[in-house]
Amino acid sequence: MQHGLLFQRVSSLGINYGQVGDNLPPPDKVLQLLSSLHINKTRIYDTNPQVLTSFANSNIELFVTVENQMLPSLVNPQQALQWVTTRIKPYFPATKIGGIAVGNELYTDDDSSLIGYLVPAMISIHGALVQTGLDKYIQVSTPNSLSVLQESYPPSAGCFRPQVAGVMTQLLSFLRSTKSPFWINAYPYFAYKDSPTKIPLDYVLFNPNPGMVDPYTKYHYDNMLYAQVDAVIFAMARLGFKDIEVGVSETGWPSKGDGDEVGATVANAAVYNKNLLRRQLQSEGTPLRPNMRLDVYLFALFNEDLKPGPTSERNYGLYQPDETMAYNVDLLSSSTTSSQSSQSSTNSIISLTSSASTAIKGGNQRLIHWTCVSLLAIHMIIRRPY
């Protein structure tokens, strides 16, 4: 493979390595694939010892996860110490574990009883890392769904839901004290699927489009993902936290869906990932933080055949389980233009070069202004269940 010519230059890009399938390649083969792509960061949804062992002495940094159901027991500092001693310490530093995700989307999970355990468990796990001397190397955070936001349009109006604001204050205090990022799972795809006649497809796909302007900050947004990130930053600022980094722990686009899953096509998945990676090549920030590179974990490495839910849930992967590409990804293409999604075919190619042009910025173009009600529907994204 020669696909690594792109990824070796994108240090801000990682990929989610889910394992909800019965036909996925073994971890040593996955390591070879990631290495061939020169991807140096990946996130897993557990602390699978086979993965941790296989990734030893590689250049790939792992972002591991504490499963949601484990949080109540890990509030106990001794249990947290035992978890770190058995799940993390034996593999570090041979395996580059750079972060621990404590749970996943606790604020929007169906079992809301776990929310109260989140920050105490994070404090206990961080305390265990301090005791074992690993806190200087391993950050502790948690991925959140964008539905933690009460409002997200315009981005400057971003605020958290009242029912989670109290816990958010505790979480943000912890993140500030440990200098850890706030992670969000953001899927513009869901906004388009729910309102395909109201939301410009090019806006969610990073294609050239007029974009929208925040009427208060006057910042111009040419894609939905950056608007979502800035809404989170404004929401944190409303609680008094202006200095915490925000990263995207999941984003992606399905290449296949059910009949009612509008937009879940090979062509759109190719364009979304192509354009996102182009932005990553340029180490872009958002309009609110233009000089702060946005770290992103793409979802996902593989299609996973055992995932529940609609067809789209099993078709987010860049690769099939047999390590063939789910769609044509020509990482060596010299193309510098984004194909219009309405004209894309199933042969759409992800063309990724350092000189790739980005979506239109500024100019004497008509800027689209939606109503608050419309944009609230557009930007408030229902979580993608994992």
Side-chain angles (χ1 to χ4, degrees):
M1 284 188 179
Q2 302 181 43
H3 306 138
L5 292 184
L6 164 75
F7 289 101
Q8 65 184 345
R9 302 166 57 189
V10 189
S11 60
S12 59
L13 178 71
I15 196 163
N16 287 278
Y17 166 25
Q19 302 162 63
V20 188
D22 59 7
N23 54 358
L24 297 175
D28 59 328
K29 293 289 187 182
V30 175
L31 175 61
Q32 292 177 21
L33 175 60
L34 292 174
S35 297
S36 73
L37 294 169
H38 290 276
I39 291 177
N40 59 14
K41 296 191 298 185
T42 191
R43 176 184 171 214
I44 60 175
Y45 291 83
D46 52 22
T47 52
N48 186 330
Q50 288 183 305
V51 175
L52 296 179
T53 300
S54 296
F55 279 57
N57 304 310
S58 72
N59 291 320
I60 298 175
E61 180 180 273
L62 279 173
F63 186 9
V64 302
T65 303
V66 177
E67 297 93 324
N68 288 359
Q69 65 270 19
M70 297 183 66
L71 265 62
S73 64
L74 295 182
V75 170
N76 184 316
Q78 289 303 315
Q79 291 292 324
L81 180 60
Q82 181 179 6
W83 186 89
V84 168
T85 302
T86 58
R87 302 291 189 102
I88 303 297
K89 192 174 181 181
Y91 306 99
F92 186 90
T95 299
K96 294 173 62 177
I97 301 172
I100 298 173
V102 180
N104 186 52
E105 298 190 344
L106 264 296
Y107 296 121
T108 50
D109 196 31
D110 293 335
D111 185 2
S112 61
S113 64
L114 294 175
I115 293 175
Y117 297 109
L118 177 60
V119 178
M122 294 175 72
I123 292 172
S124 293
I125 291 170
H126 180 259
L129 292 174
V130 172
Q131 283 187 258
T132 53
L134 301 180
D135 60 300
K136 299 178 182 65
Y137 312 100
I138 302 175
Q139 292 182 321
V140 176
S141 189
T142 186
N144 298 274
S145 165
L146 273 179
S147 59
V148 297
L149 296 180
Q150 175 74 19
E151 291 193 38
S152 60
Y153 177 78
S156 60
C159 60
F160 291 112
R161 292 187 298 164
Q163 55 266 49
V164 301
V167 181
M168 278 294 171
T169 299
Q170 299 173 27
L171 172 61
L172 294 170
S173 296
F174 172 84
L175 296 178
R176 172 186 280 172
S177 67
T178 59
K179 296 180 172 59
S180 299
F182 184 97
W183 290 105
I184 57 169
N185 296 343
Y187 288 89
Y189 158 71
F190 283 109
Y192 179 76
K193 177 182 73 71
D194 291 341
S195 301
T197 61
K198 297 179 181 179
I199 301 175
L201 182 57
D202 286 332
Y203 178 65
V204 295
L205 290 180
F206 296 91
N207 272 337
N209 70 97
M212 54 81 67
V213 168
D214 187 308
Y216 301 102
T217 65
K218 306 304 180 185
Y219 289 140
H220 174 238
Y221 291 88
D222 63 5
N223 70 85
M224 182 180 287
L225 183 66
Y226 287 6
Q228 292 172 334
V229 170
D230 278 359
V232 172
I233 296 172
F234 274 108
M236 295 193 305
R238 278 189 164 77
L239 294 181
F241 299 87
K242 299 181 179 180
D243 54 351
I244 296 175
E245 179 184 358
V246 174
V248 179
S249 40
E250 290 183 15
T251 192
W253 197 285
S255 59
K256 185 179 179 181
D258 295 322
D260 60 347
E261 294 188 286
V262 180
T265 67
V266 165
N268 287 341
V271 170
Y272 184 83
N273 289 319
K274 168 194 65 180
N275 288 335
L276 174 62
L277 293 170
R278 281 178 170 171
R279 299 299 184 99
Q280 290 289 292
L281 274 169
Q282 300 184 30
S283 297
E284 277 193 346
T286 66
L288 183 57
R289 292 179 173 176
N291 298 318
M292 181 177 288
R293 183 187 69 187
L294 180 64
D295 284 348
V296 174
Y297 281 80
L298 185 66
F299 192 90
L301 184 58
F302 294 111
N303 286 338
E304 301 167 64
D305 68 335
L306 295 183
K307 291 192 66 177
T311 296
S312 63
E313 285 298 304
R314 295 175 287 282
N315 289 278
Y316 275 88
L318 292 180
Y319 286 85
Q320 302 286 3
D322 63 2
E323 300 181 58
T324 60
M325 290 179 175
Y327 40 84
N328 193 359
V329 184
D330 182 7
L331 299 179
L332 303 181
S333 170
S334 60
S335 172
T336 61
T337 59
S338 299
S339 60
Q340 292 293 328
S341 55
S342 60
Q343 298 174 354
S344 297
S345 70
T346 56
N347 293 322
S348 292
I349 295 174
I350 291 187
S351 49
L352 303 154
T353 67
S354 60
S355 61
S357 62
T358 58
I360 295 171
K361 295 182 178 179
N364 298 319
Q365 302 183 44
R366 180 177 57 85
L367 299 175
I368 298 176
H369 295 266
W370 289 285
T371 65
C372 182
V373 173
S374 296
L375 257 292
L376 182 59
I378 289 173
H379 287 290
M380 290 299 293
I381 312 303
I382 298 173
R383 80 180 187 95
R384 186 197 60 74
Y386 192 81

